[in-house]
Amino acid sequence: MPTASSPPTVPPIRVAVVEDDAACRIALVSALNAADDMHLLWAVASRTEALAAMGRKEAEPPDVLLVDLGLPDGSGLEVIAAARARWPDAAPMVSTIFGDEANVLRAIEAGALGYLLKDVPAQGVVDEVRHLHAGGSPISPMVARKLLLRRQPPVEPATETDTTLSARETEVLRLVARGHTLDEVAQALGVSRHTVRSFVRRLYAKLQVKTRVEAVHAGVRQGIIDAP
């Protein structure tokens, strides 16, 4: 008699850490090593060590790169920029004591996709790594509030073009509604995981939602997709 096939094995999330504070680094390494769905590639304490680790020919690309900004021999922004240049699909996330607007904006410009302050415990950081890997953009509430309170010129009301999903975004939403992961969506569409993540962010913004479930409900309610 045929036997039921076992479910496909989900590869662990590959993580690299750049953190000069020994206590923080040890706590992060311990929490990451204790998580069954994580694989720690390396953990270093300086900009020089990080660039050397990334520069090795055999270096395995991380899915998520945790970077402190205030390193003893330079800025973590250089590490983020170098990582995005070599591994476009890698997702850098800042973990720092600096919550001012200037540092946040510079980190985003360098390619950071998440920004955490160091009041987040190590286990909380691991949870945010999962969130980032799943397509989210983790950001500490205090930092988010500062960005939202920035003085900005008035914006024009959204037009139909601003809120209408493109054909590609609609297809991504349809696949997500069927329960496919970002990696499976990327494979189905023949694009990178980073590209799929960009589609997800845009369709979230257009549908004015924050989670996958809300996006699916909004898509069904607006008649964009059929109910799964």
Side-chain angles (χ1 to χ4, degrees):
M1 294 178 61
T3 58
S5 59
S6 58
T9 302
V10 178
I13 302 170
R14 297 167 300 186
V15 185
V17 175
V18 187
E19 171 59 68
D20 71 312
D21 184 281
C24 287
R25 188 173 63 257
I26 291 170
L28 282 173
V29 167
S30 177
L32 289 166
N33 283 333
D36 293 338
D37 59 340
M38 301 282 164
H39 172 54
L40 179 64
L41 296 177
W42 41 265
V44 299
S46 69
R47 166 190 167 277
T48 301
E49 291 174 317
L51 295 179
M54 289 189 292
R56 291 196 299 266
K57 183 183 297 186
E58 71 280 6
E60 187 177 355
D63 296 309
V64 175
L65 177 66
L66 287 170
V67 185
D68 189 5
L69 292 185
L71 300 174
D73 57 349
S75 172
L77 297 177
E78 297 175 64
V79 177
I80 292 173
R84 292 308 300 270
R86 177 166 187 191
W87 299 310
D89 288 342
M93 180 158 61
V94 170
S95 176
T96 184
I97 61 172
F98 302 117
D100 58 285
E101 181 181 310
N103 272 299
V104 175
L105 294 179
R106 281 197 292 266
I108 293 172
E109 290 170 358
L113 299 177
Y115 200 104
L116 303 179
L117 297 180
K118 285 192 176 178
D119 56 357
V120 179
Q123 187 54 56
V125 174
V126 172
D127 291 337
E128 296 296 8
V129 167
R130 296 188 182 100
H131 181 195
L132 180 61
H133 186 63
S137 294
I139 185 167
S140 290
M142 185 183 298
V143 175
R145 181 173 178 81
K146 287 182 179 180
L147 293 178
L148 290 172
L149 292 177
R150 291 181 64 214
R151 283 186 170 274
Q152 295 183 351
V155 297
E156 295 295 325
T159 65
E160 183 178 354
T161 302
D162 295 327
T163 57
T164 301
L165 299 190
S166 68
R168 207 61 154 165
E169 291 161 352
T170 301
E171 183 61 21
V172 169
L173 179 59
R174 185 175 294 112
L175 291 170
V176 166
R178 293 174 183 168
H180 293 288
T181 65
L182 291 188
D183 288 329
E184 290 169 341
V185 174
Q187 184 176 5
L189 299 181
V191 298
S192 72
R193 190 177 191 281
H194 177 68
T195 299
V196 173
R197 190 185 291 123
S198 297
F199 283 134
V200 169
R201 288 198 185 91
R202 288 204 297 268
L203 69 88
Y204 274 21
K206 290 181 178 181
L207 295 176
Q208 298 183 11
V209 298
K210 296 181 179 179
T211 68
R212 176 185 298 227
V213 173
E214 290 176 348
V216 173
H217 286 172
V220 172
R221 187 172 61 251
Q222 297 179 29
I224 300 171
I225 59 172
D226 296 327

